[in-house]
């Protein structure tokens, strides 16, 4: 790789040197104001990849003010005019409402809101305190027409206002001066405010290959992954509390990789997303009615059973469900270390699969991953046996 002194210092860590990965050139319309060429570089210090180009934030601001393709009600993304755009915006709103459980009274700003598709979706979910911010006067009009407050301006223009929740969805990859932007948005957060940033995920460009160099365009000048996005927030003292990956539809047949990070302005003990995730998982597991109803049927059946699978899944089921109330003759496992030599579970023998040749009851297969394979083995040993899969 060729090392160079950067024209644009690393927008995350400020380093002055990097290496060139590729030089991208464009032949553009005569009135086009964004750079016609840039090097895609990797920062020599923090590893962030970006377009190294001599320009400035004012030029990009002017571009989005005057040449915004997001104004169009036909082709503009972010307005929710197509089925795939609606789905993308609905997924983000779902995440905000259900995963983050954001209060319906929270003040929410969507910065770079385009035609306000996400805000409209949040409004329909009962969110009351919504504000759009966009540099395009036409986008601002389109949002206001939906009865949603909208301010004309960029992330750098908003003064004397704070919000409980700020959204920057597919904005930061367009920003030339990321340091000014992240500090500006931090100022917009209320004392316990949160920030949601979603951007294209450069670590999956190859997996979501479209056409040659699709992801190197004149507007996308920052190539984030979850690490660089977290680093950007950290550079302004914001605490990354949650992140995730998604693939978003950008046309009827093309998916696009994205990554998002949720930041807290202050580190709040008690806002524990790991806990939230585990609570969701415990609810999902506890309410698995499929397994509970199969066990109830086994009990009602009053037939003798044996249980194939002497592992954690069985240990849990015996301790926490009615499985132990069944008439269990013995346990079966194909792992010879678990069987024979007087080994028992609930005082019942653990035997090898060959014992099934003489068995007459129901074989309950208790295996999270291999239930189908075990069922085939049971059929091979004794085709007469009835099987019930607890999976
Ligand atoms: Zn850097």
């Amino acid at each position: 790789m060729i090392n160079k002194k950067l024209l644009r210092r690393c927008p995350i860590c400020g380093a002055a040197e990097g290496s060139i990965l590729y030089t991208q050139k464009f032949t553009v319309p005569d009135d086009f104001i964004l750079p016609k060429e840039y090097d895609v570089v990797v920062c020599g210090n923090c590893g962030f990849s970006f377009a190294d180009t001599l320009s400035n934030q004012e030029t990009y601001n002017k571009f989005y003010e005057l040449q915004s393709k997001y104004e169009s009600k036909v082709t503009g993304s972010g307005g929710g005019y197509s089925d795939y755009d609606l789905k993308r915006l609905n997924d983000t709103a779902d995440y905000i409402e259900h995963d983050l459980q954001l209060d319906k009274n929270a003040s929410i700003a969507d910065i770079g809101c385009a035609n306000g598709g996400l805000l409209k979706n949040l409004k329909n979910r009962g969110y009351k305190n919504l504000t759009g911010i966009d540099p395009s006067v036409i986008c601002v009009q389109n949002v206001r027409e939906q009865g949603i407050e909208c301010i004309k301006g960029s992330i750098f223009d908003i003064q004397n206002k704070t919000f409980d929740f700020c959204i920057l969805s597919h904005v930061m990859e367009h920003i030339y001066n990321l340091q000014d932007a992240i500090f500006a948005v931090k100022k917009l957060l209320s004392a316990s405010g949160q920030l949601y940033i979603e951007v294209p995920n450069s670590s999956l460009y190859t997996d979501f290959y479209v056409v040659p160099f699709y992801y190197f365009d004149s507007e996308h000048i920052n190539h984030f992954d979850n690490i660089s996005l977290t680093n950007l927030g950290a550079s302004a003292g914001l605490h990354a509390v949650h992140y995730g990956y998604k693939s978003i539809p950008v046309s009827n047949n093309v998916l696009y990789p994205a990554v998002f990070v949720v930041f807290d302005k202050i580190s709040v003990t008690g806002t524990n997303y790991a806990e939230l995730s585990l609570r969701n998982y415990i609810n999902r597991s506890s309410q698995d009615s499929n397994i509970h109803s199969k066990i109830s049927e086994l009990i009602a059946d009053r037939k003798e059973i044996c249980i194939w699978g002497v592992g954690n899944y069985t240990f849990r089921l015996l301790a926490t469900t009615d499985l132990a109330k069944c008439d269990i003759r013995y346990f079966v496992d194909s792992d010879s270390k678990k069987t024979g030599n007087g080994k028992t579970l609930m005082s019942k023998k653990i035997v090898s699969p060959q014992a099934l040749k003489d068995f007459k009851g129901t074989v309950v297969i208790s295996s999270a991953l291999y239930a189908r394979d075990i069922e085939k083995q049971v059929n091979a040993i004794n085709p007469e046996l009835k099987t019930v899969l607890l999976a």
Side-chain angles (χ1 to χ4, degrees):
M1 279 198 293
I2 307 158
N3 291 325
K4 75 180 284 197
K5 193 166 165 49
L6 298 168
L7 303 169
R8 176 188 177 204
R9 281 181 166 246
C10 172
I12 291 182
C13 78
E17 288 183 14
S19 330
I20 301 173
L21 297 175
Y22 183 72
T23 301
Q24 181 65 60
K25 299 179 181 185
F26 308 93
T27 300
V28 297
D30 297 332
D31 63 346
F32 200 75
I33 59 174
L34 297 184
K36 297 164 183 63
E37 176 178 344
Y38 57 66
D39 292 327
V40 178
V41 295
V42 57
C43 169
N45 180 48
C46 74
F48 183 49
S49 296
F50 57 95
D52 185 34
T53 163
L54 258 191
S55 184
N56 53 51
Q57 190 59 53
E58 288 68 36
T59 303
Y60 283 86
N61 290 350
K62 200 171 152 196
F63 176 81
Y64 293 112
E65 188 177 344
L66 300 177
Q67 300 182 335
S68 176
K69 65 186 182 193
Y70 305 96
E71 292 169 352
S72 167
K73 289 190 179 180
V74 181
T75 58
S77 60
Y81 298 122
S82 58
D83 287 348
Y84 56 83
D85 203 34
L86 275 176
K87 185 190 177 309
R88 171 175 80 89
L89 299 168
N90 194 52
D91 286 350
T92 305
D94 252 351
Y95 179 78
I96 291 168
E97 184 183 9
H98 298 302
D99 291 72
L100 295 179
Q101 298 185 343
L102 186 65
D103 191 284
K104 293 284 159 77
N105 293 310
S107 54
I108 300 173
D110 185 3
I111 303 161
C113 64
N115 284 326
L118 178 61
L119 291 167
K120 188 177 163 191
N121 191 307
L122 289 168
K123 188 182 176 187
N124 291 339
R125 290 165 186 262
Y127 285 96
K128 300 172 189 73
N129 200 343
L130 300 166
T131 304
I133 297 168
D134 201 276
S136 154
V137 70
I138 293 173
C139 287
V140 169
Q141 279 167 8
N142 289 340
V143 175
R144 286 181 181 160
E145 276 170 15
Q146 301 170 68
I148 296 167
E149 191 178 329
C150 197
I151 302 169
K152 182 189 174 303
S154 78
I155 190 172
F156 305 103
D157 300 330
I158 312 303
Q159 306 284 340
N160 306 319
K161 270 189 180 294
T162 59
F163 302 92
D164 301 320
F165 194 79
C166 284
I167 299 161
L168 283 163
S169 183
H170 297 271
V171 169
M172 287 308 230
E173 68 271 27
H174 300 260
I175 300 281
Y176 189 84
N177 195 332
L178 283 177
Q179 281 301 303
D180 285 357
I182 195 72
F183 278 98
V185 74
K186 188 184 181 187
K187 269 192 183 168
L188 291 180
L189 294 174
S190 62
S192 59
Q194 282 191 311
L195 171 63
Y196 175 96
I197 303 181
E198 182 179 314
V199 288
N201 180 5
S202 65
S203 63
L204 293 178
Y205 286 172
T206 310
D207 302 72
F208 288 77
Y209 185 84
V210 185
V211 293
F213 301 107
Y214 173 73
Y215 295 102
F216 296 167
D217 65 29
S218 44
E219 294 182 33
H220 287 189
I221 51 174
N222 304 307
H223 301 285
F224 291 98
D225 58 11
N226 66 313
I227 295 167
S228 52
L229 193 51
T230 301
N231 285 346
L232 174 65
S235 72
L238 295 169
H239 306 269
V241 288
H242 204 48
Y243 75 91
Y245 301 113
K246 54 164 80 168
S247 57
I248 56 174
V250 289
S251 76
N252 284 323
N253 57 353
V254 175
L255 284 172
Y256 197 101
V259 55
F260 62 86
V261 176
V262 180
F263 297 94
D264 278 357
K265 186 174 183 182
I266 48 169
S267 181
V268 188
T269 46
T271 309
N272 186 339
Y273 291 93
E275 178 186 327
L276 195 67
S277 303
L278 279 178
R279 284 188 185 284
N280 285 338
Y281 176 66
I282 290 163
N283 283 339
R284 171 73 177 80
S285 290
S286 305
Q287 291 161 11
D288 195 328
S289 55
N290 175 39
I291 301 299
H292 288 290
S293 63
K294 281 182 181 175
I295 292 171
S296 299
E297 282 169 26
L298 285 170
I299 293 169
D301 206 25
R302 293 172 173 273
K303 269 198 186 143
E304 190 178 45
I305 68 165
C306 70
I307 297 175
W308 185 324
V310 180
N312 274 289
Y313 186 39
T314 301
F315 302 159
R316 282 192 299 269
L317 289 174
L318 288 171
T320 62
T321 70
D322 290 336
L323 184 61
K325 291 182 184 168
C326 292
D327 181 11
I328 303 168
R329 170 96 165 268
Y330 49 63
F331 293 89
V332 181
D333 205 285
S334 49
D335 182 348
S336 59
K337 288 197 285 295
K338 294 177 178 173
T339 61
N341 284 338
K343 294 214 168 115
T344 57
L345 172 58
M346 289 175 62
S347 309
K348 296 173 197 295
K349 281 183 184 168
I350 306 173
V351 300
S352 74
Q354 290 311 312
L356 292 178
K357 279 181 180 165
D358 306 320
F359 189 63
K360 300 262 186 298
T362 302
V363 181
V364 175
I365 299 170
S366 171
S367 167
L369 304 180
Y370 308 112
R372 298 270 168 215
D373 299 331
I374 293 171
E375 188 179 35
K376 283 182 196 153
Q377 291 179 55
V378 173
N379 289 336
I381 295 166
N382 185 347
E384 306 291 312
L385 287 172
K386 185 191 169 191
T387 54
V388 171
L389 278 61
L390 295 180

